[in-house]
Amino acid sequence: MKNFENNKIFIKSDVYIYRVQHLTLEGSCSMDHGPKNVKIKNLYADRYPVTNKQYLSFMKKTGYTPLDTQRFLAHKPDKNKLNHPVVCVSQNDAMHYAKWVGGRLPTDEEWQYIAAGPNYLEWPWGEQFDPSLCNHDQNSLTAVNSYKKGASWVGCEDLSGNAWEWTSGVYDDGEHKFALLRGGSFYYA
């Protein structure tokens, strides 16, 4: 089912029933969160979230400048936090990085499959929440690879807690245009 290569995990094609429950902070949600059958095509997923070091290297090597600089890298990563996940990047910024490394952002359905798997786990590691398996309520980011036992069924880490993760879709429900963040963050996992 999985194959580790250069911190990429190969995930074999599968069909599963996609179903998601979520909180809506504003208004209501008109998206179809299932249950519905979804075909996941063969794909590679990063074992770890993109780090500050990786993202800064991308910027240096490509000269990348975001369209919106207002909050871009607002956390100002320093040399002591190069192995922390990059935050304060837009979906567009994340897509540019993914393309540069030869990948793409996962769809919401793919992200859910990577996190919950064919057994529809409540948390990436199982059915019960365990704060020792993720960066939950720690008041700051932690380095990637800090919670190995919190990995998902395919071996991806930090899918709950630490930093939100972008998915590729952009949706329009007639009232709002939005993209989906997944995984929670250190202050709201």
Side-chain angles (χ1 to χ4, degrees), residues 12-168:
K12 189 175 177 183
S13 178
D14 199 1
V15 175
Y16 84 110
I17 300 172
Y18 171 75
R19 56 179 163 234
V20 175
Q21 294 179 347
H22 66 90
L23 298 174
T24 304
L25 300 178
E26 180 181 303
S28 61
C29 180
S30 61
M31 287 188 58
D32 179 8
H33 293 300
K36 63 182 177 182
N37 283 332
V38 174
K39 174 146 174 95
I40 301 297
K41 296 179 181 177
N42 290 345
L43 69 114
Y44 283 91
D46 289 336
R47 184 174 185 162
Y48 310 108
V50 176
T51 65
N52 288 319
K53 181 179 182 179
Q54 292 169 312
Y55 201 85
L56 292 170
S57 174
F58 153 68
M59 290 178 61
K60 182 178 180 181
K61 290 178 180 178
T62 66
Y64 179 75
T65 304
L67 294 174
D68 181 2
T69 59
Q70 186 177 7
R71 293 276 306 143
F72 181 72
L73 297 179
H75 68 293
K76 298 179 180 37
D78 63 37
K79 64 181 178 181
N80 296 322
K81 296 183 179 179
L82 292 177
N83 201 31
H84 288 197
V86 67
V87 295
C88 297
V89 296
S90 71
Q91 183 191 42
N92 188 54
D93 300 329
M95 286 178 168
H96 275 85
Y97 174 84
K99 185 177 179 181
W100 180 69
V101 297
R104 63 175 176 79
L105 297 180
T107 65
D108 187 56
E109 293 85 357
E110 290 168 341
W111 192 99
Q112 184 63 28
Y113 183 71
I114 292 165
N119 294 323
Y120 311 104
L121 297 174
E122 186 72 20
W123 298 94
W125 54 81
E127 291 302 319
Q128 297 297 317
F129 179 70
D130 183 343
S132 72
L133 300 179
C134 65
N135 181 5
H136 169 72
D137 204 22
Q138 298 294 318
N139 296 321
S140 65
L141 292 165
T142 55
V144 302
N145 200 21
S146 293
Y147 296 91
K148 293 175 187 70
K149 291 183 179 178
S152 75
W153 69 287
V154 294
C156 291
E157 296 183 25
D158 278 349
L159 294 176
S160 181
N162 219 17
W164 294 107
E165 297 184 8
W166 284 110
T167 58
S168 62

